[in-house]
Amino acid sequence: MFSFSGLKKDNISVSTEILAGLSSFLATAYIIVVNPAILSQTGMPFSAVLTATILVSFFSSLMMGLYANNPILVAPGMGLNAFFTFTAVFTEKLSWQVALGTVFWSGIFFLLLSAFNVRSYIVKAIPKPLRFAIASGIGLFITLIGFANAKFIVASPATMVTLGKLNAPTLTFIAGLLITVVLLIRNVKGSILIGIILTSLLAWPIGRWWGGEEALITIDHIISKPDFSLLFQLDLVNSLKWSLAPIILAFVFTDMFDSLSTFVGLAEAANLLDENGEPRNIRKSLIVDAFSTTIAGLTGSSPGTAYIESAVGIEQGGKTGLTAIAGAILFLPFLFLSPLLSAVPAIATAPALVLVGVFMMKPVVKINWSQLHEAFPAFLAMVLIPFTYSITQGIIWGFLSWTTLHIATGRTREISLALWIIDIFAVLALIF
C-alpha cells in the first residue's frame, strides 16, 4: 500500500516520482486515441470509447499506485483491442454489447485467479533465466515499437522489414534520440521527459516551414466533450453462454501472459524485487490488472493490462506507486483535452522507447549461455517477443521449450508443479 511516510523513510524524491509519472504518461498516452480508432470499427461511438479508455486508464493506474504501490501504468491493451474487434466481433459475429460482456466475465475469472494467489504462485515458478530473457525481450520489443512509430523501420515485401526513408520526421527522430542520449550521459535530471519535449518542438515546423506539405502537429481544437454513452451497456446474460467460453478464455490467457511477462520483465530490469527476489507486490499488482479488465467491460473498452511503456518512467527514476498515481491523474484532463495529444507526435516518444530497450537489456548477462538447456529457451523467449510482435508468444514458447528440453535431457525433477501448470495455460493460450 502506498504511503507518503514510506517515501521519506526510503529517501525517495516526490518530484522525481511525479516527473517519472509524466514520462510514463507521455509514452502511454497514444492509447487514448488508438484504442477508440480500433474499437469504433465495431460500431461503438469513437468519442464514447475514448471516454471509456480514459476511465479505465485512470482508475486502473490509480489503483496500481495506491493499492499495489508499483510505478506501472495500466490501460486498455494493444492486441487485446484487436482481438476484441477483429475476432470477437468481426469473425465470431458477436455484437459489441456481448463482446463487452465477455470482457467483463474474463475479468471476474481473472480476479478469482489473482485473489486465490494462483497467478503469483505461477510467477514464482518462472525459472530465473526465463525472467532475464523476458525482460530483455520486452526491451527489444519496446525498441522495435519505437523505431516503427518513428517510421525509421518499415515493412518491406522483399525483406519483411527495412530502413525507412530519411525524411523530415525520421531525421527529427534521430536528432531527438541523440539529444536524449547526451542528456542521459550527462546525468541531467528528467532527461527522457526533456527529450520528449524538445523532439516535439523540433517536430512543430515539419509541414509548416520545411519537410512536406502536411503539418506533423495539428491542433484543430482544444476542448472535447466526454461521452459516457457506453457505460454499463454490456450484455451480461448473453455473454455467459457456454458457446462463448473460448472467447472468454482467450481474453483470460492472453491478458494473463501479457501482464505476467510485463511485471516480471519490468521487475527484473528495474530491480523492483522484494527480499526474496520476486517481483514486488505481485499479488496486489495482478489483482489490479484483473480489476482493470473488469471495469473495462463495464465502461465500454477492451481489457486493461499493465503497460510496458511504464519502463520509460521507471528509467526516469520512478520507484513507487506515486509514479502510477501521477500518471493516472494526467489521464483525467483528457476527458476534455484529448485534441492536445496531437501536440506530442509519435516521433517524440519514439526516442524514449528505443532507449528503454537499451536499459532493459541489462539482465541478459545473467543468463548462463554455456548451459544450452537453459540458454536456448531463454534465447527463444527473448527473440520471439519482438519477432512475433507479441510478448505472449515469446513467453509461451520459452516455457514450452524449457520443459521439453528438461524432459529430453533427464532433468524432469527440476520442473516444478507450478511450471507444469504454466505449460497447460500456454498450450490453452495457443489453442484459443
Side-chain angles (χ1 to χ4, degrees):
M1 194 77 70
F2 172 77
S3 69
F4 279 99
S5 59
L7 296 178
K8 294 179 181 178
K9 179 182 176 182
D10 296 328
N11 197 28
I12 294 173
S13 167
V14 172
S15 61
T16 298
E17 293 289 306
I18 293 175
L19 203 63
L22 176 56
S23 299
S24 284
F25 169 78
L26 289 175
T28 308
Y30 69 88
I31 197 62
I32 295 176
V33 290
V34 173
N35 198 49
I38 295 174
L39 295 186
S40 61
Q41 297 178 53
T42 65
M44 292 191 287
F46 182 96
S47 58
V49 181
L50 187 146
T51 298
T53 301
I54 293 173
L55 292 176
V56 172
S57 304
F58 168 71
F59 285 113
S60 305
S61 299
L62 185 66
M63 190 173 174
M64 181 65 77
L66 291 175
Y67 177 63
N69 194 25
N70 263 329
I72 298 172
L73 298 189
V74 184
M78 292 297 294
L80 289 165
N81 50 18
F83 180 84
F84 181 100
T85 300
F86 301 113
T87 300
V89 176
F90 289 177
T91 303
E92 299 299 327
K93 308 299 182 184
L94 303 183
S95 68
W96 58 259
Q97 292 92 340
V98 171
L100 286 175
T102 62
V103 170
F104 173 82
W105 291 120
S106 71
I108 295 298
F109 187 56
F110 224 163
L111 274 173
L112 292 174
L113 287 176
S114 303
F116 288 102
N117 218 23
V118 174
R119 292 172 67 186
S120 44
Y121 180 59
I122 289 174
V123 169
K124 293 177 181 178
I126 300 175
K128 285 286 185 181
L130 285 182
R131 293 190 188 191
F132 303 145
I134 291 166
S136 301
I138 290 175
L140 293 173
F141 186 36
I142 293 176
T143 296
L144 178 60
I145 292 172
F147 280 131
N149 287 351
K151 291 185 171 54
F152 188 78
I153 291 177
V154 296
S156 167
T159 59
M160 290 190 286
V161 293
T162 188
L163 188 68
K165 295 180 180 178
L166 291 179
N167 50 24
T170 53
L171 289 173
T172 302
F173 157 72
I174 293 170
L177 182 60
L178 291 174
I179 289 171
T180 309
V181 171
V182 171
L183 291 173
L184 285 166
I185 293 172
R186 290 181 172 272
N187 294 317
V188 176
K189 187 176 182 179
S191 300
I192 292 177
L193 179 58
I194 293 171
I196 292 172
I197 294 171
L198 290 178
T199 309
S200 297
L201 291 175
L202 289 174
W204 179 264
I206 297 176
R208 288 183 170 84
W209 305 330
W210 75 295
E213 297 179 358
E214 291 188 12
L216 191 62
I217 299 176
T218 56
I219 304 177
D220 297 327
H221 56 286
I222 297 177
I223 304 296
S224 65
K225 185 179 178 181
D227 180 353
F228 297 102
S229 63
L230 284 177
L231 288 179
F232 309 116
Q233 294 302 303
L234 69 170
D235 188 335
L236 288 174
V237 177
N238 290 315
S239 59
L240 201 54
K241 294 178 179 178
W242 180 253
S243 60
L244 298 182
I247 298 293
I248 295 173
L249 290 174
F251 276 130
V252 170
F253 296 140
T254 302
D255 196 4
M256 181 177 74
F257 281 112
D258 268 0
S259 58
L260 285 177
S261 52
T262 298
F263 286 129
V264 169
L266 292 178
E268 289 293 345
N271 199 31
L272 298 175
L273 305 170
D274 60 21
E275 61 276 7
N276 298 316
E278 303 295 339
R280 193 177 69 191
N281 300 334
I282 184 64
R283 180 173 177 270
K284 290 183 176 180
S285 297
L286 292 171
I287 288 175
V288 172
D289 197 270
F291 164 80
S292 180
T293 295
T294 305
I295 65 170
L298 294 172
T299 56
S301 174
S302 52
T305 190
Y307 256 63
I308 55 176
E309 285 85 353
S310 302
V312 174
I314 292 171
E315 187 56 39
Q316 190 68 71
K319 297 178 180 178
T320 74
L322 183 56
T323 294
I325 294 169
I329 292 172
L330 288 169
F331 277 104
L332 274 186
F334 290 92
L335 284 171
F336 304 92
L337 302 174
S338 57
L340 284 179
L341 290 174
S342 60
V344 183
I347 62 168
T349 55
L353 297 178
V354 172
L355 286 168
V356 164
V358 177
F359 305 134
M360 292 192 70
M361 289 300 294
K362 294 174 185 176
V364 77
V365 299
K366 300 178 183 178
I367 299 172
N368 187 350
W369 294 103
S370 63
Q371 298 294 321
L372 201 56
H373 66 283
E374 294 184 359
F376 178 77
F379 175 77
L380 202 61
M382 182 172 64
V383 298
L384 283 181
I385 288 175
F387 287 171
T388 63
Y389 216 76
S390 169
I391 298 173
T392 298
Q393 291 301 317
I395 193 171
I396 284 175
W397 291 106
F399 287 144
L400 293 179
S401 61
W402 178 280
T403 301
T404 301
L405 289 180
H406 276 66
I407 293 172
T409 56
R411 295 179 171 89
T412 308
R413 291 183 179 180
E414 297 179 21
I415 305 172
S416 66
L417 174 61
L419 192 53
W420 284 113
I421 295 173
I422 291 176
D423 290 332
I424 292 172
F425 278 120
V427 172
L428 289 172
L430 289 175
I431 294 173
F432 293 111

